[in-house]
Structures are given as structure tokens and as C-alpha cells.
Amino acid sequence: MLRAFSHTNGRCAFHHSKCWHHRKSVLAIRREDVNAWERRAPLAPKHVKELTQMGYKVLVQPSNRRAIHEKDYIKAGGIIQEDISEASLIVGVKRPPEDKLIPKKNYAFFSHTIKAQEANMPLLDEILRQEIRLFDYEKMVDHKGMRVVAFGKWAGVAGMINILHGLGLRFLALGHHTPFMHIGMAHNYRNSSQAVQAVRDAGYEISLGLMPKSVGPLTFVFTGTGNVSKGAQEMFNALPCEFVEPHELKEVSRSGANFIFFLTSDLRKVYGTVLSRHHHLVRKRDGLYDPVDYDKHPELYTSRFSTDIAPYTTCLINGIYWEQHTPRLLSRQDAQKLLVPVRSAAGATEGCPELPHKLLAICDISADTGGSIEFMTECTTIDSPFCMYDADQHIIHDSVEGSGILMCSIDNLPAQLPIEATEYFGDMLFPYIEEMLLSEGSEPLESQNYSSIVRDAVIASNGSLTAKYEYIQKLRESREYAQSLKMGNKKRVLLLGSGYVSGPVLEYLTRDSNVDITVASVMKEQLEQLMKKYSNVTSVHIDVIKHEEKLSSLVKKHDLVISLLPYSAHPLVAKKCIDNKVNLVTASYLTPAMKELQESVEAAGITVISEMGLDPGLDHMLAMECIDKAKEVGATVVSYTSFCGGLPAPEHSDNPLRYKFSWSPQGVLLNTVQSATYLKNGEIINIPAGGALLDSVTPMDFFPGLNLEGFPNRDSTKYAEPYGIQTAHTLLRGTLRYKGYSKTMGGFVKLGLINPDPYPLLSSTTPPLTWKELMCKLVGIKLPAEYHVLKEAVFSKLEKDKSQLEAVEWLGLLGDEPVPAADSIVGALAKHMEMKLPFGTGERDMIVMRNEIGLRHPSGHLEDKFIDLVVYGDNKGYSAMAKTVGYPTAIAAKMVLDGEIDAKGMVIPLTKNVYGPILERVRAEGIVYSTRSVIKQ
């Protein structure tokens, strides 16, 4: 269609063989709908006005999110209209959803496909399928390779504002109030002028000497000399600043290690330096920099940034474009060296602390994950703009506190200043709009007389990648091949939970270097401890119950999930595993809620293993090993009794409960008010929920020295069929405790403390209660109450049981200690007991299990089998509970990964192919059981 073009007043004017005004060409500005913060547009009203004056029709999709109001587009001649199908050119800022693409149209937007970015390959595939012509702004470059259409300046401006705000927060976390605290995020300002004024105000305070002296001179390093860097420097110039050469940075950065060095630097200003390639890039073989040679062979060069510049940098503002085979600015190993604490400052005090290290923050405006900043592996967002990278643990956590480098790597920074960014971008794009507009996407690309800038930006046309971008397919194939190799070698496990049991699970699985593990937990400190101890393990700090979408995303990336969460969370986890066809292992009971998923699990073709811990778990395996051997010789089972308990070792049972916590405290408490059903001498015994279980306690004398008692646990009768012991007249599974435990727990039940119902007064949003106040409410006396009045009321509620009262007093439940915030009373009591009854340093726990199986042989004689398992915790290692739950779980997980367990559907360890290998392998971990028989005539 186009025959020639010329440049007039900085923009292209076109001459056509056909009179184009007989048919108006239509341009559409699409609505941005990929990100809630995306308020930009590719063209501003002034550009629309000029296009309409030239005779073009401009459609604007309605959007209340767009920062520039629709009335301004209408005033400029634009038409607000949802349907944009008549447009020949559709322009946007970010990618459209695949399902909103219109076939055989011209589209212009940032596609983020030129590096074969995996997330955007489905979009590219759809563009090819629908024969769309794609113009990518990122590839609109001049003869020097410089981009002519970009938001770069405004990315720099917004990024600089954000990192100054972040520095204020980071300094505060380190014990320093600074003028930066008065600078907000970029989007908090109506325009950049307001932001400049806020930065100037902070600068004025700096010029008055109000920066804490112990932080030393602040140095800012800007990489690159393009628009991104210039935009950041423009904002930086609003501070009292002095630019120095990179080689001078060392001198001016002398900081808190020795206050006399401040004589060489002025604390009433900040220092900046602009880094170009020649400042840090050198050829590996001779240490020289040759720009022509570097452009041809970047892989022959290395960067000295980590040794020559970074040690003297407070904040890095990174704006350079990075490509494969070019040197990185910083690697993980570099970060580890840079985060080594500085030596103690002579003048530093507790109230005026020194900085932990010089490099405090990185604003990676390039937002190139895994690029020039190797450890920037995930972009931050405007909602959550900052994270901390801890190089020692190689973890990223969402905070401004803790160890590490503050990171800000938002990939849509200009969206924070949307009006100015739109006008700036539109000015750059406008000269090229007309030639893109006056072509049909369905026409062959070869027939279009585009300028080189526009033609070279065409990624796809007429159903194919253009010649310049055919490499994208090769990149995809190469990456997919590499991923297939990695997937073939590496097995990925997601561990949910970081509590008591996680240690043995991780220890066992990390023995295989081909297993990569991600631990997801809400317990930040536990995660940090685990990361210090185990390699090839990464962590994610998240409450998976409250963030189901993130849970689903995590599950999708792994081959197997191990859930150590409370049993109530397992149905949710299982559903995510079903959706993503990922195997699951848990140590908890196969509950009715889990059983309901049986068909879905089978349809998904996955394995879901439950009851793979101690009780349930090892108890099943030990029982089935004995039962199966008995059946092999023709014997029948006439009785089965199994008791198990996790206890403190006798020497550490010195409290009213005779108990300490090595697993979920709330689970322990709730077990005492569960219902129970068992079979005794042919009669089914039902115990209702609510505490009656504690009245069914019997002494256990098989280890007389331990003074044990036991009570039934849940429904024992349901195991008759899966165990294959319908012939048994007695079937009982129970819990072991030291004598006195049940009586004490009975007192808590009487007082209403084992109540799982919601109790809003204990919410974190309400004023805190003391235990005294809560107990007054539970026993029905008015506040304020004297201690002796409350004690007498509680004593009466306990039916005058002195030992139960002593336990209540010992735990401080009549005092002024605050009740922990919780959803329920039992939840609060569990948190309180976890603090009051932990295992102390050097204390150990103990596991006791006794299975008694009565057999009748074909000869008629009877035999009693006694299977005993006693395991002690290690003083400086794992608890007995952690070992006996964690190792079986880990072994089962490894068996699934290795294909030893390949059954699909719901699995519990009742078959020899499962329990046999596990019982053999737990012996190697020190979990050893003994068996003896008594023959009766």
C-alpha cells in the first residue's frame, strides 16, 4: 500500500498510490487488563487529537483504571467503545490476554517474547495461530541500536523514588531514623513534581546534618548511561549530592568503622557515581577493555564490579540491559562476600549502631530476573515492593528487616507515574504510528514499505516468526530440552510445614543430591534455621491456607508434596495436588474429608499416601507384618490391641501433666475430647466426645517402671477390614501417657478450656485478656475478682480436686499473664502450654509402643505376640517423635519418587510392598523394635 515515506518535522509523512481517505484507517487503544496497577496508555489525548485531525478514527476501550480520564480522550476526538474489531492497528502498553486477541490485526505492545520468556510463549503461540502482526516497542531501535520508543526515563524516576523510600524503612529497621522516612512510594504522588519536592525536603534535612553519623557517607552507584539511568539521576539530583568518579568511591565511602575517616567525606550530602562499561569490564586474559572486541566477544570479559565498586556502594541503581554470555554485575558468591559484617566501630553504641555492611540496597530497574544481578530471581511488585536477599542462606523474604540486601525490582515502574509516562511514551511512539496504522495485518509483510525502525520491530506476521526473530523458536527448544534433562535428573519436592518433624524428612531426602526441596511455612524463624542446616533446599515464607493461589502455584512446580500441616489442612492440599496431578504424602489419618477425594485422586492418576508416621504409620506396619506372617501359617487373629504414646523421658516428666510437647500442642489437647469406639470381647464400646474419654483410662503395666496409663483413640473398629482381622473379638487402639495426665486434662475439660469453638474475645484485633480475666468468664464470676475468690470458684468447678487445681495454678491460669491471641480457647491454651511445657536444652523425649496380637493356630493352640518399640530422643539431635514420624514419611516419599510405590489412589501402609521396605529402612535410622511370643495350650 505504502510507496514512499519521508520525515517532516520529526515524524513520518506518507504518500500512497491510493487515496487512503476514501476509507478511514482505524486505530484502537486497548484497555490494560493484565495488572491492577497498569494505569498507562500508549498514547495521550494530545496524540489522539492530532490523529483525528489527520482524518483517522481512534477508538478507546473504556477503563476506569486508566489514569487519564475518558473525557480527555473524547475531547481530543476519540470514541469510547468496547468493540475494537474494526481497527487495523490495536495499541497497548502490556500484553493482552490470549482470549482477547483479534485475528489478522496489527498489534503493538511490549510482548516480552524476544528472550523466549517462558511465561509469554503461550501468547506468542496464539499470535502465530491467529496470524497477527506483532510490533514490539522494545525492538524499535535506531541505527546505533538505541531504543527510540521506551518508558525508560520514568522507570528510572519511579525506581529512584521507591528505593529512597525503601532506604528509609531499611535504615529504621537497623536502628536509624533518617530523612528518607518522609519520602513515599512513587505512586503516592500526583506527579513527579510533588515527588521532587519530597526528595528536596529530605535533602534539606540531610544538608542540615540530620543523617545519623554512625551510618557514614551514603554512596549511590548508577549503572548505564541511558534514559533509565538518567531518569534516576534526575531524581537523585534533588538531594544535596556530589558526583565522583568510580575510582574515587572508595575514599568518599569511608564509613562507620572509624569516625576519623569522616574528615574526608561530608555527611551533609550524598555521593553518586555513574558506571560505564570501561569502569568495570576487563578481558579475562589481560585485564584490558576493548569496546569493539567486547561487542563481538562479551564472553571473554569479566566484571570487577564486585571487588572495585560494590564494597564502597550503599545503594546500587541498576539500569543496564543484560544478555546471555555477558558478565554479571553480581553473583550470589559476590553477595556473600559483600555481606560480611564490618569491624566494630569505635564510636558506635547500642543506641547508635553501626551498619552491618556497606551494601544496603539494590534497585534493579532492569527487572531482568537472573540477569546482571544473579540472585534477583523474582520481581517485586508495587503492592510488595521490597524484599530482603540473604546471601548466606540464599533465601528471599518479604521484609525490610533481618539479614541481607534490600531489593526492589518492580517490572512496571512507570505505571506509578502514569500520566507523565503516557505523555512521554506517546511522544516517542507517535512518529511511527501512521505507517503501522496504514497497513493491514492480513497483507504479506513483504508488501509493506515500513521504515527500518518499524520493520525490525515486527516479531511475527502472517502466522510465522519473521526472519530476524526465528531464533526465538530455537531458544524455546533449547530451554525445553535443558528443562527435560533437568527434570529427568532432578526430582522436586515441596515440604509444607517446618515444625518438629521436618528435620528428619529433610535430612533423609537431601542425602540424594538429585532431590531439590522447597520448604513452605508460616514460621519464619524455623525456616531460617532449616536453611542454615540444609543445602539444595529453598524456602518460601507463606501461609498456604490463606493463600490458596500461591499454594497451587507451588504445587504445580513440584513432583511430590509432603504435608506436615495439621490434618485439617490436608483436604485443601490434596485438592491442589489433584488439580496439578502431583503426588502427596502425609503422616496424618486418612480422614473422611480425605476419603471423599478418592475418585478424584484416581481420576488424576496420582498417589496420595496417608498414615505414614508413627501412630498412625509404624503401628500399622508392625501389625501387618505380624498379621501377614500369621496368615502364611494358617493362623487367625482373635485379638489386637495397640497402644502408643509420645512422652518426656521419665527424668523430664516433672510437671502436673507429666507431659511436654514434641508435636502439635493443639492436636494433643483435642485428642482428649474426641469420641472413641472399640471392640472388647465381642462387644462394641462407644465413648462420646466432650471428655468422657478421660473416664475410660486404664493402667498399663507392660513396662511397670514407667507407670503408664492408656485410653482409647478414635474408632478402632474401622481397622478390622483393612487389617483383614474380622475374626478378632477384641480390637483396640489407644494412647499412652504417664499416670496422672488424664486426671489433669479432665480438670481442663471441666473448666471449658478444651473448647475448639470460635471465641472472638481472643482475636488479635480485640484488647488482650489476662488468664485471670478469661477464667473469671469461664467460671462465671464478675471482674475484678480477688485471687482467692477466683481460686475458690475454680476449685468448686473442679469438684474440689486438689491435684487439678494445683495444675491450673502451676500453669499460671489464675494470673495476670496475657492470653495468647487465638481463634479458640483451646488454641490459646495450646500456645500457652507450648511456652510453658517445652523440652529444655538437653532434655529428651521418648516413644513407647506396644502391640499385642492374639493368634489361634490351626492346631487350636493360642499364641500372644508382643511387639515393643521404644525410642529415645537425642539430646542434641532429633526428638523421638520427630524421628519416628519423619523418617517413615521421608522413606515413603522417596519410594514414590523412585517408583517403588506406584499404586494410584489413596494408599496407607498395609501391604508388604510398602511396609516391608520401610520397616527395613527405619532400622538403619535407629528405630528398632523387638518381638516375643507366649504360647498357650
Side-chain angles (χ1 to χ4, degrees):
M1 180 186 290
L2 301 180
R3 298 303 181 214
F5 67 91
S6 61
H7 286 275
T8 306
N9 295 327
R11 68 166 221 262
C12 298
F14 298 87
H15 309 282
H16 314 279
S17 61
K18 297 179 182 178
C19 191
W20 57 263
H21 59 268
H22 288 305
R23 177 180 60 81
K24 281 186 178 180
S25 292
V26 181
L27 169 76
I29 300 174
R30 67 172 301 275
R31 174 174 53 249
E32 300 298 325
D33 44 17
V34 170
N35 185 288
W37 284 96
E38 192 48 79
R39 298 173 292 159
R40 293 173 288 176
L43 297 171
K46 66 178 181 178
H47 307 117
V48 171
K49 182 177 181 180
E50 193 161 351
L51 285 167
T52 56
Q53 288 176 345
M54 293 163 62
Y56 297 109
K57 183 178 181 180
V58 180
L59 305 178
V60 181
Q61 273 195 322
S63 173
N64 287 346
R65 182 180 290 141
R66 194 180 291 121
I68 299 177
H69 201 276
E70 288 177 357
K71 68 179 183 180
D72 294 319
Y73 283 102
I74 295 171
K75 187 176 180 181
I79 300 170
I80 306 300
Q81 182 174 307
E82 182 67 32
D83 183 4
I84 57 174
S85 59
E86 66 176 302
S88 59
L89 173 64
I90 300 170
V91 295
V93 176
K94 294 291 189 180
R95 53 162 287 171
E98 287 96 322
D99 60 357
K100 293 186 178 179
L101 291 170
I102 304 174
K104 298 185 178 181
K105 296 291 184 182
N106 292 308
Y107 275 85
F109 56 88
F110 287 106
S111 73
H112 299 296
T113 58
I114 61 173
K115 295 182 183 179
Q117 289 96 318
E118 190 171 2
N120 294 322
M121 289 302 96
L123 171 69
L124 183 59
D125 289 338
E126 193 63 21
I127 286 171
L128 294 171
R129 190 184 72 80
Q130 298 198 30
E131 299 184 18
I132 288 167
R133 181 172 298 148
L134 169 62
F135 301 93
D136 194 317
Y137 304 134
E138 192 171 359
K139 298 308 293 182
M140 297 179 73
V141 298
D142 61 18
H143 67 283
K144 296 180 179 178
M146 301 297 292
R147 289 173 61 182
V148 297
V149 179
F151 286 100
K153 172 189 173 181
W154 292 100
V157 170
M160 192 70 215
I161 298 168
N162 292 341
I163 201 62
L164 291 176
H165 167 71
L167 278 172
L169 299 177
R170 180 58 177 155
F171 276 126
L172 189 65
L174 293 171
H176 310 279
H177 171 79
T178 66
F180 298 127
M181 280 299 295
H182 305 303
I183 300 174
M185 289 289 288
H187 60 267
N188 290 337
Y189 302 104
R190 186 178 297 275
N191 52 48
S192 61
S193 297
Q194 287 189 352
V196 167
Q197 188 56 54
V199 175
R200 283 177 178 161
D201 290 344
Y204 177 68
E205 293 187 8
I206 292 173
S207 69
L208 294 177
L210 298 183
M211 280 295 293
K213 291 182 179 181
S214 59
V215 306
L218 303 186
T219 55
F220 292 76
V221 173
F222 300 85
T223 60
T225 55
N227 289 329
V228 169
S229 182
K230 289 175 181 176
Q233 292 173 54
E234 183 179 306
M235 190 57 59
F236 180 72
N237 280 321
L239 295 169
C241 62
E242 178 183 341
F243 277 87
V244 298
E245 289 298 312
H247 70 269
E248 298 176 307
L249 205 60
K250 181 177 182 179
E251 185 63 26
V252 301
S253 72
R254 298 291 181 89
S255 59
N258 194 328
F259 290 135
I260 65 170
F261 286 139
F262 293 154
L263 297 174
T264 64
S265 304
D266 189 347
L267 296 182
R268 293 171 298 176
K269 59 185 174 183
V270 295
Y271 295 86
T273 192
V274 181
L275 199 68
S276 296
R277 288 178 176 178
H278 68 275
H279 290 125
H280 68 104
L281 292 175
V282 294
R283 198 159 36 212
K284 296 175 184 176
R285 62 180 169 83
D286 58 12
L288 301 177
Y289 174 71
D290 181 337
V292 176
D293 181 55
Y294 176 78
D295 286 338
K296 293 180 180 178
H297 303 289
E299 72 280 1
L300 300 179
Y301 285 72
T302 188
S303 172
R304 288 182 176 170
F305 178 80
S306 65
T307 55
D308 294 359
I309 307 295
Y312 317 111
T313 302
T314 305
C315 178
L316 168 64
I317 298 90
N318 184 39
I320 60 173
Y321 180 79
W322 184 83
E323 291 187 16
Q324 288 283 354
H325 310 302
T326 60
R328 300 184 195 274
L329 279 178
L330 289 173
S331 68
R332 178 192 173 190
Q333 289 73 25
D334 294 333
Q336 287 177 317
K337 294 174 184 175
L338 292 167
L339 295 188
V340 173
V342 298
R343 67 180 186 272
S344 299
T349 65
E350 184 176 352
C352 304
E354 60 187 354
L355 296 178
H357 37 75
K358 183 64 179 177
L359 182 59
L360 292 184
I362 296 176
C363 182
D364 192 357
I365 300 175
S366 71
D368 196 356
T369 56
S372 56
I373 310 295
E374 182 186 26
F375 46 84
M376 198 288 282
T377 56
E378 188 172 344
C379 291
T380 58
T381 65
I382 298 174
D383 291 310
S384 301
F386 305 111
C387 64
M388 293 292 296
Y389 173 68
D390 187 329
D392 286 334
Q393 300 181 43
H394 191 44
I395 60 171
I396 295 173
H397 49 90
D398 296 329
S399 176
V400 296
E401 299 180 351
S403 301
I405 303 170
L406 181 77
M407 303 286 291
C408 181
S409 52
I410 299 169
D411 63 0
N412 58 339
L413 285 165
Q416 293 183 272
L417 297 166
I419 296 176
E420 291 161 293
T422 295
E423 292 174 345
Y424 174 85
F425 185 81
D427 287 345
M428 301 178 79
L429 176 63
F430 187 78
Y432 308 98
I433 283 291
E434 195 172 12
E435 60 178 300
M436 291 189 283
L437 177 58
L438 292 175
S439 67
E440 292 293 336
S442 58
E443 296 176 350
L445 179 63
E446 296 75 19
S447 68
Q448 310 304 309
N449 195 16
Y450 293 138
S451 65
S452 61
I453 288 174
V454 172
R455 178 175 293 278
D456 288 347
V458 179
I459 304 291
S461 183
N462 310 106
S464 301
L465 293 170
T466 58
K468 186 178 175 69
Y469 298 100
E470 288 175 348
Y471 73 86
I472 293 176
Q473 182 59 30
K474 294 177 181 177
L475 275 180
R476 290 181 71 176
E477 292 170 357
S478 175
R479 184 188 65 237
E480 288 166 2
Y481 177 69
Q483 287 179 340
S484 68
L485 288 179
K486 183 177 180 181
M487 288 179 66
N489 295 327
K490 289 281 188 178
K491 293 167 183 175
R492 299 158 300 174
V493 175
L494 174 63
L495 178 63
L496 302 177
S498 59
Y500 299 113
V501 176
S502 61
V505 174
L506 288 171
E507 190 276 326
Y508 188 88
L509 292 177
T510 53
R511 295 174 191 174
D512 185 345
S513 61
N514 287 323
V515 176
D516 283 338
I517 304 173
T518 301
V519 185
S521 172
V522 72
M523 305 302 291
K524 186 177 178 181
E525 290 185 3
Q526 289 179 355
L527 279 177
E528 291 174 352
Q529 291 299 317
L530 291 174
M531 292 311 98
K532 289 178 181 177
K533 190 170 183 179
Y534 299 102
S535 59
N536 61 315
V537 173
T538 56
S539 70
V540 179
H541 181 223
I542 182 178
D543 185 339
V544 295
I545 306 303
K546 293 181 179 178
H547 298 89
E548 289 189 31
E549 289 185 7
K550 290 186 179 179
L551 171 60
S552 185
S553 177
L554 280 172
V555 169
K556 186 177 182 179
K557 298 174 183 177
H558 294 82
D559 302 305
L560 179 136
V561 176
I562 301 172
S563 180
L564 302 179
L565 301 174
Y567 71 89
S568 58
H570 290 155
L572 170 64
V573 175
K575 288 174 184 176
K576 301 303 179 185
C577 290
I578 292 167
D579 292 343
N580 294 286
K581 294 182 168 54
V582 174
N583 298 321
L584 171 65
V585 176
T586 84
S588 301
Y589 280 102
L590 182 60
T591 61
M594 287 289 283
K595 285 182 179 178
E596 289 177 3
L597 302 175
Q598 171 78 27
E599 290 185 7
S600 299
V601 169
E602 291 176 354
I606 64 172
T607 303
V608 174
I609 299 182
S610 300
E611 308 194 4
M612 194 52 79
L614 168 67
D615 176 8
L618 289 176
D619 56 346
H620 292 329
M621 297 183 236
L622 293 174
M624 290 309 303
E625 182 182 50
C626 179
I627 291 168
D628 284 346
K629 286 180 178 179
K631 289 181 177 181
E632 289 175 4
V633 297
T636 57
V637 177
V638 295
S639 66
Y640 172 78
T641 304
S642 176
F643 278 87
C644 181
L647 304 162
E651 67 270 26
H652 304 306
S653 60
D654 52 346
N655 63 67
L657 270 180
R658 284 80 165 169
Y659 194 79
K660 292 185 178 180
F661 291 100
S662 61
W663 71 293
S664 169
Q666 188 162 333
V668 172
L669 297 177
L670 288 175
N671 278 348
T672 61
V673 292
Q674 298 276 5
S675 62
T677 302
Y678 62 95
L679 180 69
K680 185 175 182 180
N681 296 325
E683 180 185 358
I684 292 179
I685 310 296
N686 290 302
I687 301 173
L693 189 67
L694 299 173
D695 297 326
S696 303
V697 175
T698 56
M700 294 285 135
D701 59 359
F702 48 81
F703 292 130
L706 293 179
N707 198 20
L708 298 172
E709 63 183 24
F711 50 87
N713 185 12
R714 306 195 186 205
D715 183 1
S716 302
T717 62
K718 68 179 182 180
Y719 288 98
E721 184 175 343
Y723 279 14
I725 54 173
Q726 295 92 332
T727 54
H729 57 69
T730 295
L731 182 52
L732 172 61
R733 289 163 47 86
T735 299
L736 291 174
R737 293 289 184 262
Y738 287 123
K739 188 176 180 181
Y741 170 90
S742 299
K743 186 176 182 181
T744 300
M745 290 299 299
F748 297 150
V749 172
K750 292 175 187 175
L751 293 172
L753 289 168
I754 317 296
N755 187 345
D757 296 335
Y759 199 78
L761 289 178
L762 297 181
S763 167
S764 58
T765 60
T766 59
L769 288 176
T770 65
W771 280 107
K772 180 179 180 180
E773 291 169 334
L774 177 60
M775 292 299 293
C776 285
K777 292 179 182 296
L778 292 178
V779 299
I781 63 175
K782 292 183 179 180
L783 289 167
E786 296 292 333
Y787 182 88
H788 71 275
V789 174
L790 174 59
K791 180 177 177 180
E792 186 58 36
V794 168
F795 191 40
S796 177
K797 192 83 171 179
L798 294 174
E799 300 171 355
K800 306 294 184 178
D801 191 301
K802 291 184 179 180
S803 64
Q804 290 180 342
L805 178 64
E806 287 173 2
V808 169
E809 287 188 292
W810 188 91
L811 285 168
L813 301 183
L814 304 183
D816 294 323
E817 191 173 340
V819 181
D823 295 329
S824 62
I825 295 175
V826 71
L829 182 63
K831 291 180 179 180
H832 183 72
M833 285 191 167
E834 189 169 19
M835 292 185 289
K836 292 288 186 180
L837 298 171
F839 282 90
T841 302
E843 294 184 345
R844 58 180 184 161
D845 69 332
M846 176 178 65
I847 292 298
V848 180
M849 181 188 293
R850 160 60 72 92
N851 284 354
E852 297 183 8
I853 302 175
L855 304 175
R856 183 183 297 277
H857 288 274
S859 62
H861 71 268
L862 301 176
E863 178 184 9
D864 287 336
K865 286 278 189 180
F866 301 98
I867 306 167
D868 294 323
L869 173 66
V870 179
V871 179
Y872 284 91
D874 302 322
N875 288 337
K876 296 182 180 179
Y878 300 126
S879 68
M881 182 65 75
K883 289 191 288 188
T884 52
V885 175
Y887 282 124
T889 300
I891 292 167
K894 191 67 167 59
M895 290 174 68
V896 174
L897 290 174
D898 293 343
E900 289 185 80
I901 298 176
D902 56 5
K904 305 305 177 187
M906 297 290 190
V907 175
I908 58 175
L910 301 181
T911 56
K912 190 172 183 179
N913 66 312
V914 176
Y915 71 68
I918 294 175
L919 288 177
E920 181 181 345
R921 292 168 198 177
V922 295
R923 290 189 189 97
E925 309 304 328
I927 301 173
V928 180
Y929 56 94
S930 62
T931 303
R932 65 185 180 90
S933 295
V934 175
I935 305 295
K936 300 177 181 178
Q937 297 300 324

